[in-house]
Amino acid sequence: MDLVSEKVVRQFIEDGFAVIPGFLSPSEVADLKAATNEVVSDYCKDSQISIFRNQSRDTYFAESGDKIRGFYEEGAIDKAGCLRVEKAEDGLNKVGHALHTFHPTFRRITFSSKVKEVLKRLTSIKEATINQSMVIFKHPKVGGVVIPHQDATYLYTDPTPGTLVGFWIALDEATKLNGCLHFFAGSHKAKKVYQRFIRNQDKSSETLFVHTGEPVPKLPSGTLVPATCKPGDLVVIDGLVIHQSEPNTSDQPRMAYTFHVIDGSVSYSSENWLQPTSANTFEKLNDVDVQA
Ligand SMILES: O=C(O)CCC(=O)C(=O)O
């Protein structure tokens, strides 16, 4: 069966995102969930309490590009810095940013032939390169908002259009109630990166990263489109499209596995927060054979 239909190709060009239903089989989804459980208990049980929001001054975040580290939701931590939730894992916002490097299951899915096929059909990327991966939890009641942003803010490439693509795979059903992704359809067509998140050149400052440029513009709410998903559905995200997600106010979980692909044949900014290291070398998709 054709994984990428003509409708998907047209939606990706027009809207800057597209949903590919049934990208992963139920057993692949189960494998990723089991891998997530392993990662959370094996790697993160002794992790420090770092809230995903305070990245600018956070060395723990800054050094997570080639590791597997956990980050907590703001709403899961009280004023004294202690967890409000009974089980630590229920307060996690995400684990990242090198799951694809260290865990065989994440590796198998990320470097799979299905990913290669999607990239071939939807993009003109010449040297597909994986630079980061995360599980985003959005737990019931504590899963917080993700404000409107472009992925190119964080992973800037030059030239930008068509050289950064996000893969976001639903591991639970994602609905309007539990915080599915929402896209400002067509916003990628401005071909503009509004804001950058870069390394602070002032090395004497405690602030490790700064924002430059302007926030993304407020766009008509009529162009905001929900990307509801069943488990295993893939949302492909153009690096320039503006997107967001609401808090999870429901009692249903909304977990997703996401990773980013850049074109290794164009310039990747040395100002980006995430840089290749000897542990996360930004491997090329075609250099890794995972038999899947
Ligand atoms: O999973 C989410 O709610 C937001 C993910 C997202 O926007 C991103 O990773 O760029």
Side-chain angles (χ1 to χ4, degrees):
M1 199 187 69
D2 198 4
L3 196 56
V4 184
S5 65
E6 277 309 313
K7 181 169 163 248
V8 164
V9 174
R10 272 198 309 278
Q11 190 194 4
F12 191 66
I13 293 169
E14 280 310 307
D15 295 343
F17 78 98
V19 180
I20 301 182
F23 175 73
L24 292 189
S25 67
S27 75
E28 287 170 318
V29 170
D31 288 349
L32 280 177
K33 285 188 147 185
T36 301
N37 284 339
E38 265 175 48
V39 161
V40 167
S41 53
D42 289 359
Y43 296 91
C44 298
K45 60 175 176 262
D46 299 323
S47 77
Q48 71 184 64
I49 296 182
S50 178
I51 302 174
F52 191 69
R53 268 296 172 92
N54 300 341
Q55 305 101 309
S56 294
R57 288 173 170 238
D58 187 353
T59 319
Y60 179 80
F61 166 79
E63 293 172 354
S64 67
D66 60 1
K67 299 178 185 65
I68 297 179
R69 286 188 164 176
F71 299 89
Y72 286 92
E73 294 281 359
E74 215 167 12
I77 313 289
D78 66 19
K79 282 207 176 81
C82 298
L83 281 169
R84 285 178 201 276
V85 281
E86 222 164 88
K87 287 199 290 180
E89 52 267 40
D90 293 343
L92 279 173
N93 167 292
K94 64 155 77 168
V95 286
H97 291 89
L99 300 166
H100 66 287
T101 306
F102 293 114
H103 194 289
T105 305
F106 292 106
R107 202 163 170 77
R108 175 163 55 83
I109 300 293
T110 311
F111 292 93
S112 66
S113 53
K114 287 198 271 197
V115 169
K116 291 175 190 160
E117 187 183 336
V118 169
L119 286 167
K120 203 164 158 193
R121 288 295 309 278
L122 292 185
T123 78
S124 313
I125 287 178
K126 291 198 186 78
E127 277 180 25
T129 305
I130 309 292
N131 65 348
Q132 68 168 7
S133 51
M134 306 171 247
V135 167
I136 302 181
F137 293 95
K138 198 79 104 173
H139 283 300
K141 308 294 181 203
V142 291
V145 65
V146 175
I147 61 169
H149 67 281
Q150 299 171 292
D151 292 345
T153 290
Y154 303 95
L155 305 171
Y156 184 79
T157 42
D158 183 19
T160 311
T163 59
L164 166 66
V165 175
F167 279 63
W168 188 101
I169 304 169
L171 301 183
D172 294 312
E173 186 170 12
T175 67
K176 288 194 223 170
L177 292 179
N178 68 2
C180 69
L181 294 176
H182 280 74
F183 291 87
F184 285 98
S187 54
H188 65 303
K189 288 183 179 166
K191 294 194 170 35
K192 179 171 172 176
V193 182
Y194 295 92
Q195 193 164 56
R196 300 230 359 236
F197 178 73
I198 60 171
R199 292 170 173 244
N200 190 358
Q201 295 312 311
D202 177 0
K203 299 297 172 208
S204 64
S205 166
E206 279 184 12
T207 304
L208 303 173
F209 304 108
V210 290
H211 283 98
T212 60
E214 47 186 305
V216 294
K218 286 211 176 350
L219 295 168
S221 56
T223 62
L224 192 59
V225 180
T228 55
C229 291
K230 298 277 184 226
D233 291 357
L234 165 67
V235 187
V236 192
I237 305 172
D238 185 299
L240 287 174
V241 74
I242 300 172
H243 57 290
Q244 64 185 59
S245 67
E246 297 295 324
N248 183 357
T249 52
S250 78
D251 53 13
Q252 296 302 312
R254 197 237 62 182
M255 204 198 294
Y257 174 54
T258 180
F259 56 90
H260 285 88
V261 181
I262 52 169
D263 190 338
S265 74
V266 304
S267 157
Y268 179 79
S269 175
S270 58
E271 293 178 325
N272 288 338
W273 81 271
L274 179 68
Q275 295 297 324
T277 66
S278 56
N280 177 8
T281 56
F282 291 10
E283 287 170 287
K284 293 199 180 84
L285 216 61
N286 284 336
D287 289 350
V288 178
D289 188 4
V290 291
Q291 311 287 319

